[in-house]
PDB file of all heavy atoms in Angstrom:
ATOM      1  N   GLU Y 997      72.100 -19.922  82.959  1.00 89.00           N
ATOM      2  CA  GLU Y 997      70.792 -20.049  83.275  1.00 89.00           C
ATOM      3  C   GLU Y 997      69.886 -19.526  82.262  1.00 89.00           C
ATOM      4  O   GLU Y 997      70.084 -18.474  81.683  1.00 89.00           O
ATOM      5  CB  GLU Y 997      70.606 -19.429  84.640  1.00 89.00           C
ATOM      6  CG  GLU Y 997      70.724 -20.306  85.773  1.00 89.00           C
ATOM      7  CD  GLU Y 997      71.554 -19.764  86.871  1.00 89.00           C
ATOM      8  OE1 GLU Y 997      71.066 -18.901  87.632  1.00 89.00           O
ATOM      9  OE2 GLU Y 997      72.831 -20.145  87.061  1.00 89.00           O
ATOM     10  N   PHE Y 998      68.723 -20.325  82.088  1.00 91.00           N
ATOM     11  CA  PHE Y 998      67.747 -19.912  80.948  1.00 91.00           C
ATOM     12  C   PHE Y 998      66.391 -20.187  81.714  1.00 91.00           C
ATOM     13  O   PHE Y 998      66.032 -21.306  82.000  1.00 91.00           O
ATOM     14  CB  PHE Y 998      67.996 -20.631  79.889  1.00 91.00           C
ATOM     15  CG  PHE Y 998      66.949 -20.493  78.836  1.00 91.00           C
ATOM     16  CD1 PHE Y 998      66.786 -19.211  78.055  1.00 91.00           C
ATOM     17  CD2 PHE Y 998      65.935 -21.394  78.576  1.00 91.00           C
ATOM     18  CE1 PHE Y 998      65.847 -19.007  77.243  1.00 91.00           C
ATOM     19  CE2 PHE Y 998      64.943 -21.273  77.580  1.00 91.00           C
ATOM     20  CZ  PHE Y 998      64.914 -20.034  76.948  1.00 91.00           C
ATOM     21  N   ARG Y 999      65.760 -18.961  81.958  1.00 85.00           N
ATOM     22  CA  ARG Y 999      64.465 -19.060  82.721  1.00 85.00           C
ATOM     23  C   ARG Y 999      64.658 -19.922  83.961  1.00 85.00           C
ATOM     24  O   ARG Y 999      65.586 -19.676  84.693  1.00 85.00           O
ATOM     25  CB  ARG Y 999      63.385 -19.586  81.747  1.00 85.00           C
ATOM     26  CG  ARG Y 999      63.149 -18.757  80.540  1.00 85.00           C
ATOM     27  CD  ARG Y 999      62.053 -19.083  79.627  1.00 85.00           C
ATOM     28  NE  ARG Y 999      61.991 -18.387  78.338  1.00 85.00           N
ATOM     29  CZ  ARG Y 999      61.143 -18.665  77.415  1.00 85.00           C
ATOM     30  NH1 ARG Y 999      60.290 -19.700  77.582  1.00 85.00           N
ATOM     31  NH2 ARG Y 999      61.212 -17.904  76.380  1.00 85.00           N
ATOM     32  N   THR Y1000      63.808 -20.977  83.956  1.00 87.00           N
ATOM     33  CA  THR Y1000      63.912 -21.779  85.231  1.00 87.00           C
ATOM     34  C   THR Y1000      64.851 -23.002  84.975  1.00 87.00           C
ATOM     35  O   THR Y1000      64.865 -23.906  85.828  1.00 87.00           O
ATOM     36  CB  THR Y1000      62.670 -22.285  85.711  1.00 87.00           C
ATOM     37  OG1 THR Y1000      62.008 -22.968  84.786  1.00 87.00           O
ATOM     38  CG2 THR Y1000      61.768 -21.136  86.133  1.00 87.00           C
ATOM     39  N   HIS Y1001      65.578 -22.998  83.769  1.00 92.00           N
ATOM     40  CA  HIS Y1001      66.444 -24.077  83.550  1.00 92.00           C
ATOM     41  C   HIS Y1001      67.888 -23.612  83.171  1.00 92.00           C
ATOM     42  O   HIS Y1001      68.130 -22.499  83.554  1.00 92.00           O
ATOM     43  CB  HIS Y1001      65.780 -24.908  82.274  1.00 92.00           C
ATOM     44  CG  HIS Y1001      64.471 -25.490  82.474  1.00 92.00           C
ATOM     45  ND1 HIS Y1001      63.384 -24.909  82.181  1.00 92.00           N
ATOM     46  CD2 HIS Y1001      64.159 -26.728  83.121  1.00 92.00           C
ATOM     47  CE1 HIS Y1001      62.352 -25.676  82.593  1.00 92.00           C
ATOM     48  NE2 HIS Y1001      62.765 -26.639  83.134  1.00 92.00           N
ATOM     49  N   LYS Y1002      68.530 -24.556  82.751  1.00 93.00           N
ATOM     50  CA  LYS Y1002      70.021 -24.188  82.442  1.00 93.00           C
ATOM     51  C   LYS Y1002      70.326 -24.776  81.030  1.00 93.00           C
ATOM     52  O   LYS Y1002      69.753 -25.797  80.613  1.00 93.00           O
ATOM     53  CB  LYS Y1002      70.763 -25.144  83.599  1.00 93.00           C
ATOM     54  CG  LYS Y1002      72.132 -24.651  83.615  1.00 93.00           C
ATOM     55  CD  LYS Y1002      72.779 -25.485  84.781  1.00 93.00           C
ATOM     56  CE  LYS Y1002      72.494 -24.902  86.104  1.00 93.00           C
ATOM     57  NZ  LYS Y1002      73.314 -25.559  87.186  1.00 93.00           N
ATOM     58  N   VAL Y1003      71.024 -23.819  80.288  1.00 95.00           N
ATOM     59  CA  VAL Y1003      71.450 -24.133  78.960  1.00 95.00           C
ATOM     60  C   VAL Y1003      72.911 -24.651  79.017  1.00 95.00           C
ATOM     61  O   VAL Y1003      73.823 -23.862  79.626  1.00 95.00           O
ATOM     62  CB  VAL Y1003      71.291 -23.112  77.922  1.00 95.00           C
ATOM     63  CG1 VAL Y1003      71.915 -23.484  76.659  1.00 95.00           C
ATOM     64  CG2 VAL Y1003      69.662 -22.900  77.703  1.00 95.00           C
ATOM     65  N   ILE Y1004      73.123 -25.777  78.481  1.00 95.00           N
ATOM     66  CA  ILE Y1004      74.492 -26.243  78.490  1.00 95.00           C
ATOM     67  C   ILE Y1004      74.924 -26.233  76.954  1.00 95.00           C
ATOM     68  O   ILE Y1004      74.144 -26.722  75.985  1.00 95.00           O
ATOM     69  CB  ILE Y1004      74.629 -27.859  78.819  1.00 95.00           C
ATOM     70  CG1 ILE Y1004      73.992 -28.082  80.120  1.00 95.00           C
ATOM     71  CG2 ILE Y1004      76.038 -28.215  78.961  1.00 95.00           C
ATOM     72  CD1 ILE Y1004      74.539 -27.617  81.319  1.00 95.00           C
ATOM     73  N   TYR Y1005      75.850 -25.301  76.659  1.00 95.00           N
ATOM     74  CA  TYR Y1005      76.127 -25.103  75.226  1.00 95.00           C
ATOM     75  C   TYR Y1005      77.708 -25.336  74.988  1.00 95.00           C
ATOM     76  O   TYR Y1005      78.535 -25.249  75.812  1.00 95.00           O
ATOM     77  CB  TYR Y1005      75.689 -23.703  74.751  1.00 95.00           C
ATOM     78  CG  TYR Y1005      76.690 -22.648  75.272  1.00 95.00           C
ATOM     79  CD1 TYR Y1005      77.771 -22.200  74.420  1.00 95.00           C
ATOM     80  CD2 TYR Y1005      76.520 -22.242  76.522  1.00 95.00           C
ATOM     81  CE1 TYR Y1005      78.549 -21.140  75.040  1.00 95.00           C
ATOM     82  CE2 TYR Y1005      77.455 -21.160  77.113  1.00 95.00           C
ATOM     83  CZ  TYR Y1005      78.493 -20.726  76.267  1.00 95.00           C
ATOM     84  OH  TYR Y1005      79.298 -19.815  76.756  1.00 95.00           O
ATOM     85  N   ARG Y1006      77.904 -25.663  73.632  1.00 94.00           N
ATOM     86  CA  ARG Y1006      79.330 -25.737  73.333  1.00 94.00           C
ATOM     87  C   ARG Y1006      79.467 -25.247  71.825  1.00 94.00           C
ATOM     88  O   ARG Y1006      78.416 -25.461  71.024  1.00 94.00           O
ATOM     89  CB  ARG Y1006      79.647 -27.288  73.298  1.00 94.00           C
ATOM     90  CG  ARG Y1006      81.079 -27.389  73.613  1.00 94.00           C
ATOM     91  CD  ARG Y1006      81.358 -28.711  74.214  1.00 94.00           C
ATOM     92  NE  ARG Y1006      82.751 -29.060  74.185  1.00 94.00           N
ATOM     93  CZ  ARG Y1006      83.255 -30.079  74.812  1.00 94.00           C
ATOM     94  NH1 ARG Y1006      82.461 -30.925  75.388  1.00 94.00           N
ATOM     95  NH2 ARG Y1006      84.542 -30.308  74.890  1.00 94.00           N
ATOM     96  N   ARG Y1007      80.449 -24.588  71.474  1.00 93.00           N
ATOM     97  CA  ARG Y1007      80.559 -23.942  70.240  1.00 93.00           C
ATOM     98  C   ARG Y1007      81.625 -24.809  69.503  1.00 93.00           C
ATOM     99  O   ARG Y1007      82.698 -24.979  69.947  1.00 93.00           O
ATOM    100  CB  ARG Y1007      81.106 -22.522  70.379  1.00 93.00           C
ATOM    101  CG  ARG Y1007      81.275 -21.825  69.101  1.00 93.00           C
ATOM    102  CD  ARG Y1007      81.686 -20.341  69.342  1.00 93.00           C
ATOM    103  NE  ARG Y1007      82.068 -19.909  68.110  1.00 93.00           N
ATOM    104  CZ  ARG Y1007      82.396 -18.538  67.838  1.00 93.00           C
ATOM    105  NH1 ARG Y1007      82.331 -17.738  68.961  1.00 93.00           N
ATOM    106  NH2 ARG Y1007      82.668 -18.105  66.747  1.00 93.00           N
ATOM    107  N   TYR Y1008      81.185 -25.223  68.185  1.00 92.00           N
ATOM    108  CA  TYR Y1008      82.076 -25.879  67.316  1.00 92.00           C
ATOM    109  C   TYR Y1008      82.129 -24.972  66.083  1.00 92.00           C
ATOM    110  O   TYR Y1008      81.271 -24.809  65.453  1.00 92.00           O
ATOM    111  CB  TYR Y1008      81.679 -27.115  66.978  1.00 92.00           C
ATOM    112  CG  TYR Y1008      81.796 -28.131  68.109  1.00 92.00           C
ATOM    113  CD1 TYR Y1008      80.723 -28.285  69.065  1.00 92.00           C
ATOM    114  CD2 TYR Y1008      82.897 -28.918  68.394  1.00 92.00           C
ATOM    115  CE1 TYR Y1008      80.797 -29.133  70.114  1.00 92.00           C
ATOM    116  CE2 TYR Y1008      83.048 -29.699  69.526  1.00 92.00           C
ATOM    117  CZ  TYR Y1008      81.966 -30.019  70.204  1.00 92.00           C
ATOM    118  OH  TYR Y1008      81.981 -30.786  71.411  1.00 92.00           O
TER     119      TYR Y1008
END
Side-chain angles (χ1 to χ4, degrees):
Chain Y
E997 265 133 74
F998 171 68
R999 301 186 187 173
T1000 56
H1001 295 97
K1002 196 177 272 188
V1003 166
I1004 315 287
Y1005 73 96
R1006 208 156 170 172
R1007 184 178 165 173
Y1008 291 89

